[in-house]
Amino acid sequence: MTFKGLQPIVYGGKEVWPLVEGGKGVSATNHMSSGAWAAAGGIGTVSAVNADSYDEDGNPIPQVYPQATRKERFEQLVRYAIDGATEQVNRAYEIADGRGAININVLWEQGGAQQVLEGVLANCGDKITGVTCGAGMPYKLAEIAQRFNVHYLPIVSSARAFRALWKRSYSKVPELLAAVVYEDPWLAGGHNGLSNAEDPTKPEDPYPRVKALRETMRAEGVSEDTAIVMAGGVWFLREWNDWIDNPELGKIAFQFGTRPLLTQESPIPQVWKDMLRTVEPGDVLLHKFSPTGFYSSAVKTPFLYDLMHRSERQIPIFKRDEEEGTVPLSDHGKAKYFWVHPGDQRKAQSWMHEGFTEPLKTPDNTVVFVTPESAEQIRADQQGCMGCLSHCQFSSWKDHDDHTTGRLADPRSFCIQKTLQDIAHGGDPDNNLAFAGHAAYRFKQDPFYSNNFTPTVKQLVERILTGD
């Protein structure tokens, strides 16, 4: 079948290609990639999740947190976030030079999301065409967009989620709803919106889900000019030929998150780019280790395997006399207060014999077993929390009221700010969380990238527009 081709759409009063660069934080999309994407005629997206600021020599300013309390560190984090995103937008706008459009992406579950979004829009809202926002239910997005007169593009993974947002607040600001991003929760990289009713091991065809989203939008009276942006698993547009000019789906645009990681303007370090060329089918894992509590997708690095194995070294614990037939885990240290089934005691003794001698309690009345070095690092990371999430399972931080979730900190998770900052600024991907979509294996198969070819963003956009 011949590729139909795409027609430009009008967005923010300008004709642009219906190609959206997926915003990826921390610092995996920045002014270089988003400015170039806009300059190529598309919609570039600056990640406003703790973006970099620069010193007078052009080097990223390290984001350090010497403050004594979590609350003070959180306030510093919000300052970094506003300053960094403002700097990135200004630079992207210059690179775009009037072509395409610049969006910003905010995660509703990031710490201080509303403060950051309002701060950036106050600083440079005239250079921002729209705001994409997901990772949670951003009810306030429409109201903020109205205040600053920018478009908003909520990210959802189901028609039901959109309906809830529309009825609660978006219906009051319909004129600025530029598009609804449908992010496939089984295929997209990073955090996604898989619900408790959906099976992470049973991917669903996106077509009926997007058709249901359009039917919901029509039933609620949303304008036909409001596009649906398909995100997650998009590589060759020719594979989506049936979606284009399809009356059932209405106006469609496409978001690319993983493919732009491997361009000359992509800010991620070379070692990360090299790793992406080695990814095989099945190497990206949909997992629930994130401290957000959301599912997310990342490459199976040793960092991720360590989290998988840590949760496997887990047994239930009880208080004395709570469960019949239980025995103390050990006769010394804090372990003597953990009562376990004899079979689990034997498992634990085996793990401890292998060097996993430290039992760490979880919020679910279980313990996981880690090495002394790992236990020390986990505690240090929890204590050093800088409040990067609105609610953090790993550290029990909350970004409002009394600043605690009231639950025990969970050692089965990790400090996400620490690892995402590290991998974005040269850290070894093996030792970090490497977000990627499930189509990342195609870097190795797609002839466009053969002989280690790394395209410019302009070359990539031109290639995408051919259907490849």
Side-chain angles (χ1 to χ4, degrees), residues 36-37 39-40 99 263 265 455-463:
W37 195 273
R99 294 161 292 184
T263 61
E265 294 90 344
T456 63
V457 167
K458 184 173 186 291
Q459 287 171 321
L460 175 60
V461 170
E462 287 170 352
R463 177 81 170 190

Side-chain angles (χ1 to χ4, degrees), residues 352-372:
M352 289 192 279
H353 183 70
E354 293 171 11
F356 302 102
T357 56
E358 295 291 311
L360 299 181
K361 195 175 177 185
T362 79
D364 299 318
N365 293 318
T366 64
V367 288
V368 292
F369 290 81
V370 299
T371 64

Side-chain angles (χ1 to χ4, degrees), residues 235-289:
W235 196 272
F236 299 129
L237 283 185
R238 54 182 157 81
E239 296 171 340
W240 303 83
N241 218 25
D242 293 345
W243 290 51
I244 299 166
D245 299 329
N246 183 328
E248 274 191 334
L249 301 182
K251 187 186 283 190
I252 286 283
F254 296 93
Q255 180 165 300
F256 292 82
T258 299
R259 276 191 90 170
L261 286 171
L262 200 51
T263 61
Q264 292 181 28
E265 294 90 344
S266 166
I268 67 172
Q270 190 60 44
V271 65
W272 190 356
K273 293 181 182 180
D274 293 342
M275 181 269 282
L276 288 170
R277 294 183 187 273
T278 69
V279 174
E280 300 280 0
D283 278 356
V284 174
L285 178 70
L286 179 61
H287 65 88
K288 211 175 182 188
F289 297 116

Side-chain angles (χ1 to χ4, degrees), residues 72-378:
E72 289 170 314
R73 293 194 291 270
F74 165 67
E75 289 165 352
Q76 175 65 69
L77 175 128
V78 169
R79 287 193 293 272
Y80 280 141
I82 294 171
D83 291 348
T86 300
E87 175 101 15
Q88 296 297 333
V89 168
N90 286 335
R91 290 180 175 222
Y93 188 80
E94 279 184 32
I95 293 169
D97 196 25
R99 294 161 292 184
I102 299 292
N103 282 354
I104 61 171
N105 181 59
V106 175
L107 304 181
W108 198 244
E109 289 299 312
Q110 75 186 68
Q114 186 170 343
Q115 282 175 266
V116 173
L117 180 53
E118 290 173 343
V120 177
L121 290 172
N123 287 346
C124 54
D126 58 325
K127 298 173 182 174
I128 297 167
T129 306
V131 179
T132 57
C133 186
M137 292 291 277
Y139 292 111
K140 294 185 178 178
L141 184 59
E143 163 203 327
I144 296 168
Q146 185 177 46
R147 214 171 334 127
F148 291 94
N149 195 32
V150 295
H151 293 288
Y152 64 106
L153 303 83
I155 301 171
V156 299
S157 292
S158 67
R160 188 181 64 166
F162 174 75
R163 185 187 292 112
L165 290 165
W166 176 264
K167 286 193 175 296
R168 180 155 165 185
S169 69
Y170 293 1
S171 58
K172 298 168 189 167
V173 194
E175 70 281 1
L176 291 174
L177 178 66
V180 179
V181 182
Y182 171 78
E183 187 177 71
D184 188 306
W186 290 276
L187 294 177
H191 291 104
N192 58 58
L194 204 65
S195 75
N196 292 331
E198 292 156 337
D199 188 337
T201 65
K202 294 179 180 171
E204 295 181 18
D205 179 0
Y207 187 95
R209 293 171 68 92
V210 172
K211 179 171 174 277
L213 173 59
R214 178 59 77 184
E215 287 168 353
T216 297
M217 291 167 67
R218 284 172 174 154
E220 298 295 343
V222 178
S223 167
E224 286 291 322
D225 288 331
T226 305
I228 293 175
V229 181
M230 176 61 208
V234 182
W235 196 272
F236 299 129
L237 283 185
R238 54 182 157 81
E239 296 171 340
W240 303 83
N241 218 25
D242 293 345
W243 290 51
I244 299 166
D245 299 329
N246 183 328
E248 274 191 334
L249 301 182
K251 187 186 283 190
I252 286 283
F254 296 93
Q255 180 165 300
F256 292 82
T258 299
R259 276 191 90 170
L261 286 171
L262 200 51
T263 61
Q264 292 181 28
E265 294 90 344
S266 166
I268 67 172
Q270 190 60 44
V271 65
W272 190 356
K273 293 181 182 180
D274 293 342
M275 181 269 282
L276 288 170
R277 294 183 187 273
T278 69
V279 174
E280 300 280 0
D283 278 356
V284 174
L285 178 70
L286 179 61
H287 65 88
K288 211 175 182 188
F289 297 116
S290 169
T292 60
F294 294 124
Y295 279 94
S296 65
S297 290
V299 179
K300 293 176 185 172
T301 60
F303 176 90
L304 202 49
Y305 277 115
D306 179 57
L307 289 165
M308 292 161 68
H309 297 324
R310 189 187 304 172
S311 277
E312 288 163 2
R313 295 187 304 270
Q314 180 172 195
I315 56 172
I317 57 170
F318 306 91
K319 294 174 185 170
R320 182 175 187 152
D321 299 330
E322 182 186 356
E323 179 95 351
E324 193 174 336
T326 55
V327 296
L329 176 58
S330 174
D331 59 4
H332 61 275
K334 66 180 180 182
K336 67 185 178 185
Y337 300 110
F338 299 149
W339 289 68
V340 301
H341 291 293
D344 288 335
Q345 185 193 44
R346 289 190 289 274
K347 280 188 205 172
Q349 287 168 342
S350 169
W351 295 327
M352 289 192 279
H353 183 70
E354 293 171 11
F356 302 102
T357 56
E358 295 291 311
L360 299 181
K361 195 175 177 185
T362 79
D364 299 318
N365 293 318
T366 64
V367 288
V368 292
F369 290 81
V370 299
T371 64
E373 297 78 18
S374 184
E376 189 178 346
Q377 188 62 65
I378 288 167

Side-chain angles (χ1 to χ4, degrees), residues 356-410:
F356 302 102
T357 56
E358 295 291 311
L360 299 181
K361 195 175 177 185
T362 79
D364 299 318
N365 293 318
T366 64
V367 288
V368 292
F369 290 81
V370 299
T371 64
E373 297 78 18
S374 184
E376 189 178 346
Q377 188 62 65
I378 288 167
R379 291 189 188 105
D381 288 347
Q382 288 171 335
Q383 289 163 5
C385 172
M386 71 294 285
C388 75
L389 300 175
S390 65
H391 298 78
C392 177
Q393 295 184 351
F394 177 66
S395 69
S396 295
W397 159 266
K398 184 174 69 176
D399 71 357
H400 52 284
D401 300 335
D402 59 358
H403 300 297
T404 176
T405 62
R407 283 175 61 80
L408 191 66
D410 196 336

